[in-house]
Amino acid sequence: MGVYTINSNFRGLKGGQHRMRFFLLILGFFSAFTVRAQSDAERWRGFFSYTSVKDIAYGDDKVYVAAENAVYTYNIWNQEITTITTIEGLSGESITEIHYSEAYDLLLIGHDNGLIEVIAQGQQEVIQIVAILNKPSIPPNIKAINDFYEYQGKVYVSTDFGISVFDLALLEFGDTYYIGELGSTLSVTQTTILPPYIYAATAQNGIKKALLDGPDLIDYASWETVTGGGIVSIQTLNDAVYFARTNQRVLRLTPEPTQIMADFGADPIVDMRVNGNVLTITTESTVNTYGADFSPLNVLELPVDLEDQFSVGLGFADQVFAGTNTNGLLKQGSGQFQWNAIGPQGPLFNNPFSIDASAGQLWVGFGEVTVSFNPYPLSYRGLSQFQNDTWNNIPASELFGASDIVQMTINPMDPEQVFASSFQFGLLKLTAGQPEILYDQSNSSLTLPPDNPAAGLRIYGSDFDRDNNLWFVQSKIDQGLLRLSPSGQIGKIDLSGIINAEDELALTDLKISREGYVFFGSAENGLIGFNPSGNSFNRITEGAGNGNLPSTDVRTLAFDNNNRLWIGTREGLRVLYNTTGFFQSGNNVEAQPIIILEEGVAQELLFQQSVTDIEVDGSNNKWIATATSGVFYLSSNGQQTLLRFTKENSPLPSDNVQDIAIDGDSGRVYFATTKGLVAFEGSATDARDDLAGAYVYPNPVRPGFQGQVTIDGLTAGANVKITDIEGNLVFETKSQGGSVLWDTRAFGRHKVASGVYLVLINSEDAFETKVLKIMVVR
């Protein structure tokens, strides 16, 4: 989908009396910084959670369901489910309200920051209405969209500052009503209309009404208070207006006199809405439907075993849909006695913190710590595994009490074995997708910090060595470097000779070099290295002469195919080119910045950027995640930015990217952001054992193709030559991993002509050869 942005000025008391100016700014979905062919939607996949339902709408035989920052539709006739996410052009911002207009065939999506997105059904565009979002006179904390109410071609948008009128035909805002005292802002939860009046329910100041065709609705004095108190909702059903108070009572406002219709006691009312001739009142534990004269139709209860709460309900004469906070959308039809779950598959939550991938699988952890490594309040959130296009979600109740899973590590020698680091309760082992054991102080040699046992077992970074030992770190304890053997025994290594571990805020990421050296980061002591064979340590910190790190706060580490250690800190990037010399006596070890030319000026790459993760793909290129600037895809030496993904130019739902994982078999790159999980279908794969599966794509190369041709399925160090049919060489390279790219140019100069080209592949040892053909059509 494309993205169109509409910005407009309000008319109203604070926006002037003149007619609203209106303009349309058409934006391409991707900025010029990123190559369009590399970033189109076909190369992206979204893996959002739909378990927390925020709102429901109905129209055109479909139920529209809003999750936290994605939407899906459910066709009530054929049960087809279709998702709408950032892949299709949604913003990824938190959704508060949705509305479907059958008259205009439009879906409106409201967000907590004031953004409104409009989707015309059957179209390929998302129209972004940013008038409220960009209005400088409205404080950011009162821009949330609370409700849409459609009447005669206009939508009355209830917000935390008042009511704005949106024209569905013109897709523009008209008047804004500030109905608080003396024209001040006032939080409006819902509006409804029963001619000749428009009614506004407010969060704390009761119900106000005004003549719909009155001379000046933008004048606060035109609005009179009907009743006081806090109002949850207000709805019109046939010729009556009903409202729900914060004291769990539902009353009829008109026709007079006001009358109590229902009292839900201690069960809070969370939603009330009308669909046709059915009024649905949803409490935290029940969904109640009523007919045209408030005659009871049905009372449906939340299953006790769900341990959840309803968030919204939508009733029909013969079926009921109900959204929950953690169990998605439920449906119960006439004559049925149990709820059925309806919705797309996905992970447990939309805030992944740690991910790891191997061939055909992904593991996701949702535990988190603050930027200063505080795990409180503890988060018990379970784990999610994606395999064979299916999600296996493991609830927190099955993790033996582990909370705050901050690291996922798949055993490369046995991908069915996975370890999850709990930053409070130890090391969790899973086998074949099921939790097996939680290593803690009760069943292993792990111990609590003697001077601060309340700190718990704060396990973080982990990595496997070539002997299948799992090395990991524990914070707040002297013996904080640990090794779990394949037999399950834990050995400990004392750090007191290199750092004061008890005073260190946290030990962070850990990686092992090809020689078996163990490197791990820290929050306050920089980079620490351990040589197991020599039982020796070394450490580098910030500043020239001390190791040249930009910060002592090391967040992530990665070894590339040349055994160089890439170091991501909270304030920038460094590379350690000689890891062997790290432990040599008298050697002044210095990590180096990467200097690039930007408009002819030398600049330090990722200067002062908070680097959250670094991953190396099959071509030895680097994927780098940041906390504020999205993702950078760099060439093997870091001198060239091959791709740059941000929230503005890609389907990333947030520029705060917590972690990256690469499926080396397929080249897929997963991005864990603070607002959801997405993946980019990369072209760099891991090296294969032989050339039997080597292939070329796309093939043929058709006119207009702007990307690069991928030769995949290669062995490490394979020599790849491309010639024309007469044997003239046009391209040659050596594979770093399992694939190489060709830009269809003759040695980077001019595009080759139409014709058949031969790909000649030789393995590094020259024992294997393979010849492929590429058809290029200009």
Side-chain angles (χ1 to χ4, degrees):
M1 287 187 175
V3 175
Y4 297 76
T5 302
I6 295 178
N7 197 346
S8 58
N9 293 328
F10 290 112
R11 275 192 298 140
L13 180 66
K14 296 189 178 180
Q17 304 298 316
H18 57 277
R19 290 295 301 171
M20 178 188 65
R21 289 179 291 115
F22 170 78
F23 60 91
L24 175 68
L25 176 61
I26 299 179
L27 299 176
F29 187 52
F30 300 100
S31 70
F33 191 97
T34 302
V35 180
R36 292 174 184 268
Q38 295 281 355
S39 304
D40 52 13
E42 289 77 12
R43 298 192 67 179
W44 288 85
R45 287 193 65 181
F47 300 97
F48 290 88
S49 172
Y50 300 91
T51 58
S52 181
V53 176
K54 302 303 180 182
D55 198 21
I56 306 173
Y58 173 75
D60 193 28
D61 295 330
K62 295 176 184 175
V63 176
Y64 296 84
V65 185
E68 290 170 302
N69 59 351
V71 173
Y72 69 93
T73 65
Y74 171 75
N75 190 305
I76 62 175
W77 295 113
N78 61 17
Q79 290 75 55
E80 182 180 51
I81 292 175
T82 303
T83 59
I84 308 171
T85 71
T86 59
I87 309 301
E88 287 72 40
L90 288 190
S91 65
E93 297 297 328
S94 299
I95 298 173
T96 54
E97 188 76 12
I98 59 173
H99 170 74
Y100 179 74
S101 170
E102 288 197 88
Y104 291 86
D105 198 23
L106 295 174
L107 178 67
L108 277 65
I109 304 170
H111 298 270
D112 64 355
N113 63 356
L115 174 68
I116 297 175
E117 295 176 299
V118 181
I119 302 174
Q121 298 305 290
Q123 302 299 314
Q124 295 299 309
E125 292 84 29
V126 175
I127 303 170
Q128 293 187 344
I129 312 295
V130 297
I132 295 176
L133 173 66
N134 291 344
K135 188 70 173 177
S137 61
I138 302 174
N141 63 325
I142 61 170
K143 291 184 176 182
I145 306 300
N146 296 327
D147 184 61
F148 296 115
Y149 182 80
E150 181 178 349
Y151 184 77
Q152 293 185 349
K154 292 181 172 61
V155 170
Y156 295 82
V157 184
S158 300
T159 72
D160 282 344
F161 60 83
I163 305 167
S164 291
V165 185
F166 185 70
D167 191 306
L168 288 171
L170 300 176
L171 296 184
E172 67 179 42
F173 276 104
D175 291 328
T176 297
Y177 310 142
Y178 298 92
I179 63 175
E181 186 177 357
L182 300 178
S184 61
T185 62
L186 182 63
S187 178
V188 178
T189 55
Q190 277 187 336
T191 59
T192 193
I193 292 173
L194 181 62
Y197 293 106
I198 175 173
Y199 298 85
T202 71
Q204 296 178 332
N205 295 82
I207 297 173
K208 292 177 177 288
K209 75 174 182 179
L211 286 171
L212 184 61
D213 296 326
D216 202 3
L217 282 176
I218 63 173
D219 183 358
Y220 73 92
S222 298
W223 294 78
E224 65 173 296
T225 299
V226 178
T227 184
I231 310 299
V232 176
S233 178
I234 189 165
Q235 294 287 315
T236 298
L237 179 64
N238 290 346
D239 295 325
V241 175
Y242 300 91
F243 66 95
R245 289 192 179 278
T246 52
N247 64 2
Q248 284 66 258
R249 287 183 175 180
V250 177
L251 297 89
R252 190 189 66 199
L253 182 65
T254 65
E256 295 180 349
T258 300
Q259 180 179 346
I260 297 175
M261 307 300 293
D263 189 336
F264 292 94
D267 194 8
I269 297 172
V270 295
D271 184 72
M272 185 170 79
R273 66 187 55 214
V274 169
N275 176 45
N277 290 319
V278 177
L279 173 67
T280 305
I281 302 173
T282 306
T283 70
E284 289 184 353
S285 62
T286 64
V287 180
N288 310 266
T289 55
Y290 300 86
D293 56 353
F294 208 84
S295 57
L297 298 178
N298 214 337
V299 179
L300 302 177
E301 296 182 350
L302 181 74
V304 177
D305 60 339
L306 280 189
E307 297 183 356
D308 200 354
Q309 295 175 347
F310 286 126
S311 57
V312 60
L314 180 67
F316 295 79
D318 59 345
Q319 57 187 334
V320 172
F321 294 87
T324 66
N325 290 330
T326 60
N327 283 274
L329 182 69
L330 306 178
K331 173 190 172 184
Q332 189 168 149
S334 178
Q336 296 178 339
F337 299 98
Q338 63 182 16
W339 292 101
N340 295 309
I342 296 171
Q345 282 199 345
L348 285 170
F349 304 101
N350 274 325
N351 54 349
F353 189 81
S354 174
I355 56 177
D356 195 20
S358 64
Q361 75 165 334
L362 174 78
W363 278 91
V364 187
F366 304 96
E368 60 183 353
V369 293
T370 66
V371 70
S372 58
F373 295 95
N374 181 6
Y376 289 94
L378 299 182
S379 55
Y380 296 85
R381 292 181 180 155
L383 297 172
S384 293
Q385 177 194 24
F386 182 67
Q387 190 172 35
N388 300 322
D389 282 330
T390 301
W391 284 96
N392 167 36
N393 290 318
I394 305 171
S397 59
E398 297 181 12
L399 302 187
F400 309 119
S403 73
D404 298 275
I405 303 298
V406 294
Q407 179 82 22
M408 301 299 301
T409 303
I410 300 172
N411 187 340
M413 298 183 186
D414 181 8
E416 288 200 343
Q417 188 180 89
V418 180
F419 288 86
S421 299
S422 168
F423 203 65
Q424 191 66 26
F425 293 108
L427 182 69
L428 177 68
K429 178 183 178 182
L430 302 100
T431 302
Q434 296 299 320
E436 181 180 320
I437 185 174
L438 176 66
Y439 292 101
D440 61 17
Q441 71 276 14
S442 69
N443 59 19
S444 72
S445 59
L446 293 177
T447 56
L448 295 169
D451 296 330
N452 185 19
L457 299 172
R458 298 192 172 188
I459 310 300
Y460 210 113
S462 62
D463 194 17
F464 281 91
D465 66 16
R466 56 196 172 193
D467 296 321
N468 206 30
N469 297 301
L470 179 72
W471 292 79
F472 60 100
V473 288
Q474 178 185 348
S475 302
K476 300 294 183 183
I477 195 165
D478 282 342
Q479 294 181 315
L481 178 60
L482 304 107
R483 181 181 60 195
L484 176 67
S485 70
S487 63
Q489 301 301 310
I490 296 179
K492 298 181 175 183
I493 297 165
D494 196 330
L495 304 177
S496 59
I498 191 71
I499 63 170
N500 186 336
E502 293 182 9
D503 292 338
E504 167 62 57
L505 192 61
L507 303 180
T508 59
D509 199 15
L510 181 149
K511 290 294 185 293
I512 299 174
S513 73
R514 64 177 57 161
E515 303 94 346
Y517 302 146
V518 181
F519 289 86
F520 54 98
S522 67
E524 300 170 297
N525 281 278
L527 175 71
I528 304 159
F530 175 66
N531 180 357
S533 61
N535 196 31
S536 60
F537 282 96
N538 195 15
R539 177 171 67 98
I540 60 173
T541 60
E542 63 183 341
N546 297 318
N548 198 33
L549 295 179
S551 167
T552 60
D553 193 347
V554 175
R555 296 281 163 147
T556 183
L557 304 170
F559 278 99
D560 68 10
N561 296 344
N562 297 321
N563 206 34
R564 295 167 176 170
L565 181 61
W566 291 63
I567 307 164
T569 80
R570 196 175 170 187
E571 297 180 24
L573 176 72
R574 288 293 185 269
V575 181
L576 189 63
Y577 290 96
N578 181 12
T579 54
T580 302
F582 193 85
F583 302 100
Q584 292 177 357
S585 176
N587 190 11
N588 186 22
V589 180
E590 296 276 295
Q592 302 299 319
I594 295 177
I595 305 300
I596 59 174
L597 289 177
E598 189 170 305
E599 298 181 353
V601 179
Q603 302 282 345
E604 180 183 317
L605 180 67
L606 299 178
F607 177 68
Q608 291 189 339
Q609 288 279 355
S610 180
V611 179
T612 54
D613 191 35
I614 304 172
E615 298 292 335
V616 182
D617 68 15
S619 294
N620 205 29
N621 296 329
K622 314 308 187 288
W623 290 95
I624 299 183
T626 69
T628 58
S629 302
V631 175
F632 295 80
Y633 183 43
L634 307 178
S635 60
S636 59
N637 60 5
Q639 290 295 313
Q640 183 181 2
T641 300
L642 305 175
L643 290 171
R644 168 82 186 283
F645 295 143
T646 68
K647 186 179 184 299
E648 297 301 318
N649 72 6
S650 78
L652 281 182
S654 170
D655 285 333
N656 187 349
V657 182
Q658 302 281 348
D659 204 3
I660 298 175
I662 302 174
D663 182 336
D665 194 55
S666 66
R668 176 181 289 174
V669 185
Y670 294 92
F671 305 112
T673 82
T674 54
K675 291 190 175 181
L677 178 71
V678 294
F680 177 73
E681 303 293 354
S683 55
T685 58
D686 289 344
R688 304 301 198 267
D689 294 331
D690 55 51
L691 296 174
Y695 65 101
V696 177
Y697 69 92
N699 194 12
V701 179
R702 302 186 183 279
F705 177 70
Q706 299 296 320
Q708 299 192 76
V709 172
T710 300
I711 298 98
D712 205 348
L714 305 177
T715 54
N719 184 260
V720 179
K721 295 182 180 180
I722 300 178
T723 71
D724 61 21
I725 202 68
E726 296 177 353
N728 297 308
L729 186 66
V730 298
F731 178 78
E732 183 175 11
T733 191
K734 181 172 285 190
S735 67
Q736 292 276 351
S739 61
V740 298
L741 302 176
W742 177 43
D743 61 4
T744 70
R745 295 176 181 271
F747 291 105
R749 296 191 300 270
H750 59 272
K751 289 186 176 182
V752 299
S754 297
V756 176
Y757 292 82
L758 302 179
V759 182
L760 312 174
I761 308 171
N762 290 283
S763 63
E764 189 174 33
D765 56 15
F767 285 166
E768 284 189 273
T769 62
K770 189 154 188 172
V771 179
L772 304 172
K773 294 181 181 180
I774 305 174
M775 171 68 76
V776 177
V777 183
R778 296 299 187 191

